[in-house]
Amino acid sequence: MRIVGVDIPDNKKIEYALPYIYGIGMTAAKRIVKEASISAEKRAKDLTPPEINRIREIIERDYKIEGDMRR
């Protein structure tokens, strides 16, 4: 599964999969999952397209990630 251009593991719980994105740590991942109103127990492969979009919008709006973070 890809979120903001990064492959995250499908078989992990979403709050443990999000830190695979450079610039997102465990604290930020928990905050994103809570703000997106998604169960922390849900696995990445079980996310619906609207849930993925909510996560993507939150990350793009509130976090500096990947290329921007590396500069």
Side-chain angles (χ1 to χ4, degrees):
M1 164 180 293
R2 291 181 72 81
I3 294 181
V4 292
V6 178
D7 286 321
I8 61 169
D10 286 338
N11 58 340
K12 290 192 180 268
K13 293 179 182 175
I14 188 61
E15 69 179 16
Y16 296 107
L18 287 177
Y20 280 75
I21 300 170
Y22 187 82
I24 304 282
M26 277 304 298
T27 305
K30 289 178 182 181
R31 193 176 304 130
I32 291 166
V33 169
K34 185 176 180 181
E35 187 178 336
S37 302
I38 299 170
S39 168
E41 297 298 310
K42 199 163 205 180
R43 302 215 176 255
K45 65 182 176 188
D46 298 329
L47 292 175
T48 63
E51 289 172 334
I52 294 168
N53 285 334
R54 286 199 307 263
I55 290 172
R56 183 176 293 123
E57 288 169 4
I58 292 167
I59 291 172
E60 288 174 350
R61 180 185 68 220
D62 298 336
Y63 295 92
K64 193 174 194 180
I65 55 163
E66 291 295 322
D68 292 336
M69 186 81 162
R70 294 179 198 269
R71 278 187 219 136

